[in-house]
């Protein structure tokens, strides 16, 4: 049995790419023959093939074709119709286009096109719909997929590499014991950066004037309008010297940021899984999160999750964590336990092999 | 009994909620966006949701639903639904002024929805685009006026029917209001009577209190006098005891002096007695020495004349 994986692009520090690489390694170690197909690849040390060739590679009905679905691609829908192999949709979710209205027409169109394909994949009656979370699976169940064809598998990730990495804190702000709020994720409207700036503003006024926000996140030029709005909000609140944005952080800097932070603060309104949550759990950073979309499922009780993005509530949470060493220690411990029990590579590998056992 | 982590977490969260409330009260209103601005809207009716999943933000509305309220309530509700945060006082006043100057609700909704912030939120209001464009068209000089004129003429029968319905509705409301005002007047009269009764009762209670306070004052004065007498007696007793103690102390001092003199005398006699004994012992010692010398000389025969002891 051959397994082909199609992913739109392979890049370093990309959640979908990490998942694809992790699945490849796991399935190979279990004795399967696995090949990756992508339209673009960078920083990858193994052969990656053009997706147009996949139909020649998985030609037997016993083979399995896995598509990492995170964007719209008509070519894959057509391919899924034609292929004889068994079909798996590995669903990482697509942000609802409403979040991008007013910021980027390109994003709105892309997200609309991507989400429109949910119904098309659902109608194909694929062999397996493998969501990062049960929140993701719900999209397919709502579109009419039999829940028995759905499985949940958290994404493979690079937390272990992060844990083993050295620390480089040269670009990490020195806050002199003041609260340091950390946010990890691309700068996009659904991530709630404007709300985060409001929370930082309240932190400065109510907790500590030296409170600082550290962001590890890139700004896509197609979302430049949102970037401008973010900087305008920062200036409006008088926070220019209290915010550090690092768009090109490597593992060493990420590690240093997680170690220095009072808490990972996530006001994100839409996440299909949220890998930074498990990175924080693995590295022992307390988490404060808005309990939206899949975040409660990923976080569980290993952090402070709220039904609101009220800045005063976030600021009070930061203040409490900053002052309460015992709470910090207990949340760290809880996070590490949850990571070990649910998201450690060995757990994911065992689960993936169990799921793929149906194709053996 | 140890507290479970879940209980501890819930307790901590309650404390954080209270602290957040305190922060809201402490900081100036304009610096804290109110919580409703960021709170998730309940899940749309019928939408399925997993047990552990968080709230989804409601993004779909109808024009009728948003136009149910009037005046400031309409503005607040529309703003919160479309922009997903509480309205600032200035914006609220500005929008209410526009309503008061004849701007339609549809135009307000459209302005909110198609503003940069509104578009960023991405709310959809069914059928709004067409109505909004029409409303905007009516604002175009000359052409807009003519267009609205035609539009209104075309809708005149419908509007006339709506106006008749509105008149009936308003008459009904007026009637209800009149009844309510009458009920309120009756209630006011009852309350005034109750107020008078309470005032009378208060006056009576105040009188009782004054008599009670007077008798209490007298009793306190009597007690004070008794206390003064008692304290004088205590002072006398203490003085008597003190003089007795002083006399006894003087007598004891005299006895001690006598005893000291007696001890000195005994001491002196003891010293004199010792001196006599010392002399006697020294004399006997000298006598014995002399005796031993004489005996020795007698033994050797060198000197036959006995020596007398000194």
């Amino acid at each position: 049995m051959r397994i082909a994986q199609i992913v739109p692009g392979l890049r370093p520090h990309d959640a979908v790419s990490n998942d694809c690489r992790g699945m490849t390694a796991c399935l190979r170690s279990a004795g399967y023959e696995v090949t990756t197909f992508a339209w673009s690849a960078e920083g990858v040390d193994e052969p990656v093939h053009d997706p147009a060739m996949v139909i020649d590679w998985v030609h037997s009905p016993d083979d399995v074709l896995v598509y990492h679905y995170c964007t719209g691609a008509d070519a894959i829908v057509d391919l899924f119709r034609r292929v004889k192999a068994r079909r798996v949709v590995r669903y990482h979710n697509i942000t609802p286009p409403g979040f991008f209205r007013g910021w980027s027409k390109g994003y709105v169109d892309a997200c609309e096109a991507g989400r429109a394909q949910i119904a098309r994949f659902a109608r194909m009656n694929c062999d397996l719909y493998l969501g990062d979370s049960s929140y993701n699976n719900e999209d397919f169940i709502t579109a009419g997929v039999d829940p028995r064809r759905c499985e949940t598998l958290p994404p493979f990730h690079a937390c272990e590499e992060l844990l083993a990495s050295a620390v480089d804190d040269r670009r990490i702000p020195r806050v002199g014991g003041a609260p340091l709020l950390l946010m990890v994720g691309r700068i996009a409207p659904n991530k709630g950066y404007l709300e985060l700036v409001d929370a930082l503003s309240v932190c400065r006024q109510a907790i500590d004037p030296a409170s600082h926000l550290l962001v590890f996140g890139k700004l896509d030029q197609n979302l430049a309008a949102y970037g401008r709005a973010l900087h305008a909000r920062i200036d409006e609140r008088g926070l220019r010297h209290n915010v550090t944005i690092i768009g090109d952080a490597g593992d060493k800097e990420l590690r240093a940021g997680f170690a220095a932070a009072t808490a990972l603060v996530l006001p994100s309104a839409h996440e299909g899984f949220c890998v930074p949550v498990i990175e924080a759990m693995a590295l022992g950073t307390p988490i404060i999160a808005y309990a939206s979309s899949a975040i409660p499922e990923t976080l569980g009780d290993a952090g402070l999750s709220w039904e609101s993005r009220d800045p005063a509530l976030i600021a009070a949470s930061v203040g409490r964590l900053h002052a309460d060493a015992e709470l910090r220690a207990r949340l760290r411990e809880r996070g590490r336990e949850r990571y070990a029990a649910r998201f450690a590579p060995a757990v994911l590998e065992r689960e993936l092999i169990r799921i793929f056992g149906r194709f053996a | 009994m140890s507290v479970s982590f879940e209980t501890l977490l819930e307790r901590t969260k309650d404390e954080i909620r209270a602290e957040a409330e305190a922060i809201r009260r402490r900081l100036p209103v304009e610096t804290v966006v109110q919580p409703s601005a960021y709170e998730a809207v309940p899940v749309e009716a019928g939408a399925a949701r997993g047990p552990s999943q968080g709230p989804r933000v409601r993004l779909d509305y109808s024009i009728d639903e948003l136009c149910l309220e009037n005046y400031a309530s309409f503005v607040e509700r529309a703003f919160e639904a479309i922009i997903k945060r509480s309205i600032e006082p200035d914006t609220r006043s500005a929008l209410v002024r526009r309503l008061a100057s004849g701007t339609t609700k549809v135009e307000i909704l459209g302005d909110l929805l198609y503003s940069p912030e509104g578009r960023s939120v991405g709310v959809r209001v069914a059928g709004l685009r067409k109505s909004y464009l029409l409303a905007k068209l009516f604002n175009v000089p000359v052409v807009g006026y003519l267009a609205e004129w035609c539009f209104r003429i075309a809708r005149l029968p419908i509007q006339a029917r709506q106006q008749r319905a509105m008149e009936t509705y308003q008459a009904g409301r007026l009637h209800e209001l009149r009844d309510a005002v009458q009920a309120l007047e009756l209630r006011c009269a009852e309350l005034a009577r109750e107020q008078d009764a309470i005032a009378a009762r208060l006056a009576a209670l105040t009188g009782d209190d004054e008599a009670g306070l007077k008798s209490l004052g007298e009793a306190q004065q009597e007690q004070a006098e008794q206390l003064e007498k008692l304290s004088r007696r205590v002072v006398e007793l203490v003085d008597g005891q003190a003089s007795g103690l002083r006399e006894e102390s003087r007598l004891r001092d005299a006895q001690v002096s006598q005893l000291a003199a007696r001890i000195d005398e005994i001491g002196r006699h003891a010293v004199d007695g010792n001196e006599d004994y010392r002399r006697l012992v020294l004399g006997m010692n000298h006598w014995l020495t002399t005796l031993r010398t004489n005996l020795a000389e007698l033994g050797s025969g060198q000197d036959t004349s006995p020596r007398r002891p000194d």
Side-chain angles (χ1 to χ4, degrees):
Chain A
M1 179 177 90
R2 285 174 151 188
I3 298 174
Q5 289 203 88
I6 302 178
V7 61
L10 279 173
R11 293 184 302 276
H13 301 114
D14 172 64
V16 176
S17 303
N18 286 340
D19 183 51
C20 180
R21 278 195 289 264
M23 283 179 66
T24 302
C26 172
L27 292 169
R28 276 184 188 154
S29 68
Y32 296 107
E33 189 183 353
V34 187
T35 299
T36 305
F37 297 81
W39 282 283
S40 65
E42 60 176 279
V44 181
D45 53 4
E46 67 166 290
V48 175
H49 306 282
D50 186 340
M53 296 160 62
V54 75
I55 204 151
D56 299 325
W57 200 76
V58 283
H59 43 70
S60 159
D62 290 336
D63 293 341
V64 177
L65 175 59
V66 181
Y67 172 49
H68 287 264
Y69 177 27
C70 55
T71 185
D74 288 338
I76 302 297
V77 178
D78 294 339
L79 179 67
F80 260 50
R81 286 209 180 97
R82 288 185 288 130
V83 76
K84 289 178 185 166
R86 288 170 291 186
R87 299 163 300 180
V88 176
V89 179
R90 173 66 162 145
Y91 183 43
H92 300 285
N93 213 313
I94 294 170
T95 309
F99 285 104
F100 298 104
R101 289 209 174 88
W103 301 116
S104 164
K105 189 173 183 311
Y107 265 85
V108 172
D109 293 345
C111 292
E112 272 176 354
R115 289 194 74 85
Q117 289 182 351
I118 292 172
R120 295 169 74 185
F121 280 119
R123 282 196 296 271
M124 282 182 200
N125 205 19
C126 297
D127 296 85
L128 177 64
Y129 297 85
L130 186 58
D132 289 341
S133 58
S134 58
Y135 174 82
N136 286 1
N137 284 343
E138 192 194 306
D139 280 345
F140 279 109
I141 293 168
T142 306
V145 169
D146 183 346
R148 286 172 298 183
R149 285 180 182 265
C150 296
E151 289 271 11
T152 301
L153 177 72
F156 283 82
H157 49 75
C159 291
E160 297 300 315
E161 285 88 332
L162 205 53
L163 275 166
S165 164
V167 173
D168 178 359
D169 64 356
R170 283 175 296 177
R171 285 203 287 172
I172 307 301
R174 306 281 189 273
V175 291
L180 178 63
L181 289 70
L182 173 68
M183 170 70 183
V184 181
R186 66 197 174 98
I187 297 173
N190 59 306
K191 303 282 182 184
Y193 276 97
L194 300 181
E195 289 78 2
L196 188 55
V197 170
D198 287 348
L200 174 68
S201 174
V202 177
C203 259
R204 273 198 67 203
Q205 293 170 80
I207 308 298
D208 190 325
S211 299
H212 202 101
L213 169 64
L214 170 63
V215 174
F216 287 127
K218 271 186 189 165
L219 175 66
D220 184 338
Q221 281 315 300
N222 291 320
L223 287 169
Y226 186 71
R228 283 194 296 274
L230 173 62
H231 286 289
R233 181 69 64 93
I234 290 169
D235 288 344
E236 187 188 321
R237 303 278 190 233
L239 298 171
R240 190 174 287 186
H241 302 295
N242 295 74
V243 179
T244 302
I245 300 176
I246 301 177
D248 56 351
D251 281 356
K252 292 177 185 175
E253 282 173 321
L254 269 173
R255 178 98 200 271
F258 273 109
T262 306
L264 175 72
V265 183
L266 284 165
S268 184
H270 183 269
E271 296 285 351
F273 178 78
C274 202
V275 171
V277 167
I278 59 166
E279 288 174 343
M281 286 195 281
L283 292 167
T285 305
I287 300 158
I288 299 166
Y290 174 43
S292 73
S293 50
I295 290 176
E297 189 181 336
T298 307
L299 180 58
D301 63 358
L304 296 171
S305 64
W306 301 105
E307 299 292 315
S308 159
R309 290 193 281 185
D310 169 23
L313 193 58
I314 295 176
S317 306
V318 171
R320 177 61 182 264
L321 275 173
H322 187 244
D324 190 340
E326 192 192 341
L327 178 65
R328 282 202 307 273
R330 295 196 75 160
L331 287 178
R332 271 194 204 110
E333 185 191 354
R334 199 68 166 186
R336 285 185 172 129
E337 283 170 7
R338 187 169 174 81
Y339 173 80
R342 290 174 177 253
F343 307 117
V347 178
L348 301 182
E349 285 163 10
R350 203 164 47 240
E351 191 60 12
L352 179 64
I353 298 302
R354 181 194 68 76
I355 291 168
F356 269 66
R358 68 174 66 193
F359 300 126
Chain B
M1 193 174 71
S2 64
V3 179
S4 72
F5 179 77
E6 289 75 15
T7 312
L8 183 79
L9 194 61
E10 278 313 306
R11 197 181 297 161
T12 305
K13 287 176 84 171
D14 285 344
E15 288 165 5
I16 291 171
R17 281 189 194 98
E19 177 56 25
E21 190 54 46
I23 288 174
R24 270 183 231 113
R25 281 198 303 270
R26 216 159 54 224
L27 295 183
V29 173
E30 64 271 19
T31 61
V32 183
V33 184
Q34 293 304 303
S36 60
Y38 295 109
E39 275 167 10
V41 182
V43 183
E44 297 95 315
R49 212 154 62 95
S52 61
Q53 290 157 12
R56 287 171 188 268
V57 176
R58 186 178 174 192
L59 295 175
D60 292 299
Y61 294 88
S62 68
I63 295 178
D64 289 346
E65 180 186 5
L66 293 177
C67 291
L68 275 177
E69 304 283 346
N70 290 304
Y71 195 60
S73 303
F74 159 74
V75 169
E76 286 164 8
R77 162 124 176 83
F79 196 92
E80 285 187 12
I82 293 171
I83 307 293
K84 299 294 178 209
R85 65 177 174 81
S86 296
I87 191 167
E88 302 90 348
D90 290 350
T91 313
R92 181 178 176 278
S93 306
L95 291 178
V96 168
R97 274 200 303 276
R98 286 187 62 196
L99 273 181
S101 68
T103 304
T104 61
K105 288 181 179 176
V106 163
E107 212 172 333
I108 300 279
L109 291 178
D111 287 347
L112 290 174
L113 190 67
Y114 300 116
S115 68
E117 193 174 356
R119 279 182 295 173
S120 75
V121 176
V123 164
R124 292 175 291 272
V125 181
L128 181 66
R129 182 185 291 267
K130 204 173 74 178
S131 307
Y132 180 63
L133 286 175
L134 202 59
K136 284 294 176 195
L137 173 67
F138 294 161
N139 291 336
V140 177
V142 185
V143 176
Y145 179 81
L146 288 173
E148 186 168 12
W149 201 78
C150 295
F151 182 77
R152 299 295 170 207
I153 289 281
R155 284 180 57 87
L156 209 50
I158 299 168
Q159 286 188 334
R161 194 178 309 123
Q162 285 175 344
Q163 182 152 353
R164 284 194 297 276
M166 183 61 79
E167 280 169 7
T168 309
Y169 172 77
Q170 294 297 351
R173 291 282 299 151
L174 200 61
H175 189 74
E176 285 172 13
L177 273 173
R178 203 162 41 230
D179 290 348
V181 168
Q182 279 174 358
L184 274 174
E185 281 172 353
L186 287 172
R187 182 73 188 128
C188 281
E190 277 175 29
L191 285 172
R193 280 196 297 278
E194 283 175 21
Q195 191 181 2
D196 290 345
I198 289 167
R201 177 74 187 130
L202 266 175
L205 283 172
T206 311
D208 290 349
D209 284 351
E210 279 176 1
L213 282 171
K214 193 176 173 186
S215 63
L216 186 65
E218 285 168 359
Q220 280 179 341
Q221 194 173 359
E222 195 178 330
Q223 280 179 348
E225 284 167 4
Q226 284 176 355
L227 273 172
E228 197 179 339
K229 282 178 194 169
L230 192 64
S231 66
R232 274 201 298 275
R233 177 72 187 134
V234 168
V235 168
E236 284 168 12
L237 283 169
V238 168
D239 285 349
Q241 286 285 327
S243 61
L245 282 170
R246 275 197 297 273
E247 182 59 25
E248 196 178 336
S249 167
R250 196 180 58 74
L251 288 172
R252 286 194 189 283
D253 285 348
Q255 285 173 355
V256 167
S257 301
Q258 284 173 3
L259 278 171
R262 181 75 184 135
I263 288 166
D264 285 348
E265 192 178 347
I266 290 167
R268 273 197 304 279
H269 288 160
V271 169
D272 292 348
N274 284 346
E275 189 61 25
D276 292 344
Y277 286 129
R278 194 175 65 83
R279 284 178 189 157
L280 183 63
V281 168
L282 285 173
M284 283 178 73
N285 198 26
H286 180 70
W287 185 80
L288 282 171
T289 307
T290 307
L291 183 64
R292 267 199 302 274
T293 307
N294 290 339
L295 285 173
E297 284 175 356
L298 282 174
S300 67
Q302 290 177 356
D303 187 1
T304 54
S305 59
R307 292 181 66 181
R308 286 177 56 83
D310 295 333

